[in-house]
Amino acid sequence: MGVPLISSPPFLTLFLFSFMMLCLSPQHALASITRHYKFDIKLQNVTRLCQTKSIVTVNGQFPGPRIVAREGDQLLIKVINHVQNNISIHWHGIRQLRTGWADGPAYVTQCPIQTGHSYVYNFTIVGQRGTLWWHAHISWLRSTVYGPLIILPKLGVPYPFTKPYKAVPIIFGEWWNADPEAVISQALQTGGGPNVSDAYTLNGLPGPLYNCSAKDAFKLKVEAGKTYLLRLINAALNDELFFSIANHTLQVVEADAVYVKPFETHTILIAPGQTTNVLLKTKPSFPNATFFLTARPYVTGLGTFDNSTVAGILEYEFPPNTKTLKMKKLPLFKPDLPALNDTSFATKFNDKLRSLNNAPFPANVPQKVDKHFFFTVGLGTNPCSQHNQTCQGPNGTMFAASINNISFAMPNTALLQSHFSGQSNGVYTPDFPTNPIIPFNYTGAPPNDTMVSNGTKLVVLPFNTSVELVMQDTSILGAESHPLHLHGFNFFVVGQGFGNFDRNKDPAKFNLVDPVERNTVGVPSGGWVAIRFLADNPGVWFMHCHLEIHTSWGLKMAWVVLDGKLPNQKLLPPPADLPKC
């Protein structure tokens, strides 16, 4: 016999109905969660190009583990250092709203994690979704310490493009047979350029175009008639790369974890630090072939570079109920990549990138500018560190790099700690020049004096300052492209061009409607790029060239954004386990 139903009073029925609706409401269903990760920094023997060596890794993996979260999630990532090197980890592209203590660049937002010590990076992903990545941010350790950071949209929120059948991260790297720490150490001691890498890699593998690497190839296995989302990440230290898949078209849908107006291309240009999501629509039926996916550098400078090509293989799954063929018998198609110095292609590709700028994903470009900055970027020289010594840089000097002729000198304590404690005296000065101290013909005949000055100077901005920054390449030691990365912010690329920036004419051509929104942008070789951003994130934020050798030579600086007046506009206090110097 069943239990008799008892009628409920109207107010109780209403309460139960409201409670059920609350439990089923989107806000409840989309509640964020806390995700825990553990990173053990340890040595691992790895064999590439027929040579085995010990490398610094996370959890013994190369590349490192994949981090997956959803927009709105909190991440707690405990990093434990078991190696002799100091370590710090940067979560590249995460805005770190008020949580600059978790940003990661050594001696900027934290002192490095020393041997036997640990630190918990604690941050929440606010208003971001897409493909980012993480990497070591001290010396050249990011040559082996890196991995994907994938942010999924909130549950129930669709992509603004075709839903992919599968998503595949593809991370480009650079491999040295020697110890990269020894490579950069030697370069800084001699003042010359560093030895170039021995190979490029796809997901850690060099592929069949290198000696002794036929079996060390990344294979992308696909089914016919499906759409795949390829999450491309350039983790190479010193090279922008062209990437293509033979006989296939790619549709670009995202750059630096921001959706873009989709466009089709056969080749992608991706600079170190940048990420690009593309849709790969496979052929409708089994093609009776395999296809190379290859990458090689886009080169603009005069120095030596690794001109090799990394290759992976696109393989189609055999259709069911067919006699299995041997892959060796299938023809292999190779893509045609642009010439190594094809600046025309690079320019046209970058011009195609545009923000979606629709209701769900607006392009909030600052229309009014509070502060204008003009930064020259490029190479220069320093005198030899010891008298009567000849260095291997130009005319017996040491290579240096600078912004507005200041080669940034890293302090011995973290800039953010100095700022937060109000003890910046002796650590940095707040007088970074807003314009070049001595104007010259930046892309014309180089000046006779190539020496740079050295110092730890920062720009200080009041909270919510709208900034326009023009970055101008210089030809002092030869024009060269520079991928500049700004920590703590996304910015809008409102204009770019070649030659010297003209303050009277060029701003009239700025795109203030749907410019691409990025965290890393290439300053064109022999040209300039203009960006705008809103300084709405209090803290100290690093900006540097993502060509690691240029950062090592001093092409870097930092911005201080002061606290706002409201509680939610102030930098949070430092965590108790913040590493000490």
Side-chain angles (χ1 to χ4, degrees), residues 227-480:
T227 298
Y228 292 79
L229 179 67
L230 306 184
R231 301 178 179 274
L232 308 178
I233 302 165
N234 189 351
L237 262 69
N238 294 312
D239 290 282
E240 299 183 66
L241 296 170
F242 293 123
F243 169 76
S244 184
I245 303 178
N247 294 24
H248 288 74
T249 301
L250 303 172
Q251 186 181 53
V252 179
V253 294
E254 179 191 300
D256 288 358
V258 180
Y259 299 133
V260 298
K261 289 184 171 72
F263 66 91
E264 292 189 344
T265 182
H266 292 291
T267 302
I268 302 295
L269 173 66
I270 185 167
Q274 292 182 338
T275 65
T276 306
N277 278 5
V278 298
L279 292 180
L280 167 67
K281 190 171 183 179
T282 58
K283 298 184 180 300
S285 59
F286 185 75
N288 288 318
T290 56
F291 307 89
F292 261 163
L293 43 133
T294 60
R296 73 179 182 199
Y298 164 55
V299 182
T300 57
L302 301 177
T304 56
F305 62 94
D306 180 352
N307 68 350
S308 61
T309 301
V310 60
I313 300 172
L314 176 68
E315 292 182 354
Y316 277 73
E317 298 282 356
F318 286 107
N321 304 320
T322 59
K323 187 176 180 180
T324 302
L325 302 171
K326 288 188 176 179
M327 281 291 180
K328 290 181 181 178
K329 294 182 180 179
L330 294 176
L332 175 63
F333 291 94
K334 301 178 181 180
D336 291 323
L337 288 170
L340 295 170
N341 61 351
D342 195 340
T343 293
S344 174
F345 176 90
T347 304
K348 290 175 183 175
F349 179 85
N350 286 326
D351 284 344
K352 292 176 185 175
L353 293 166
R354 292 283 187 270
S355 291
L356 273 184
N357 192 28
N358 57 19
F361 305 105
N364 296 316
V365 190
Q367 301 294 313
K368 170 183 73 75
V369 174
D370 298 321
K371 297 217 172 180
H372 292 267
F373 295 88
F374 183 78
F375 289 176
T376 55
V377 297
L379 303 185
T381 58
N382 269 327
C384 276
S385 54
Q386 297 180 8
H387 294 296
N388 302 321
Q389 178 190 6
T390 300
C391 290
Q392 294 179 7
N395 300 316
T397 63
M398 302 182 74
F399 271 113
S402 68
I403 301 176
N404 277 355
N405 205 49
I406 295 173
S407 187
F408 194 80
M410 294 300 284
N412 295 319
T413 188
L415 297 171
L416 183 59
Q417 289 172 269
S418 304
H419 161 67
F420 185 82
S421 64
Q423 299 176 340
S424 61
N425 286 345
V427 180
Y428 69 84
T429 56
D431 56 350
F432 192 93
T434 59
N435 291 279
I437 297 171
I438 302 175
F440 61 99
N441 183 2
Y442 307 114
T443 56
N448 293 326
D449 184 5
T450 63
M451 291 291 175
V452 302
S453 59
N454 301 277
T456 310
K457 298 174 182 290
L458 278 63
V459 172
V460 178
L461 296 171
F463 185 82
N464 254 5
T465 301
S466 57
V467 173
E468 181 181 287
L469 167 63
V470 176
M471 292 179 282
Q472 171 76 58
D473 184 36
T474 58
S475 58
I476 294 175
L477 291 179
E480 188 168 0

Side-chain angles (χ1 to χ4, degrees), residues 2 11 39 49 139 181 202 226 249 287 333 369 392 401 420 458 517 548 580:
F11 73 88
F39 276 18
L49 309 179
S139 190
E181 291 298 280
L202 288 176
K226 303 286 188 184
T249 301
F333 291 94
V369 174
Q392 294 179 7
F420 185 82
L458 278 63
E517 183 180 348
E548 203 63 41
K580 306 285 192 298

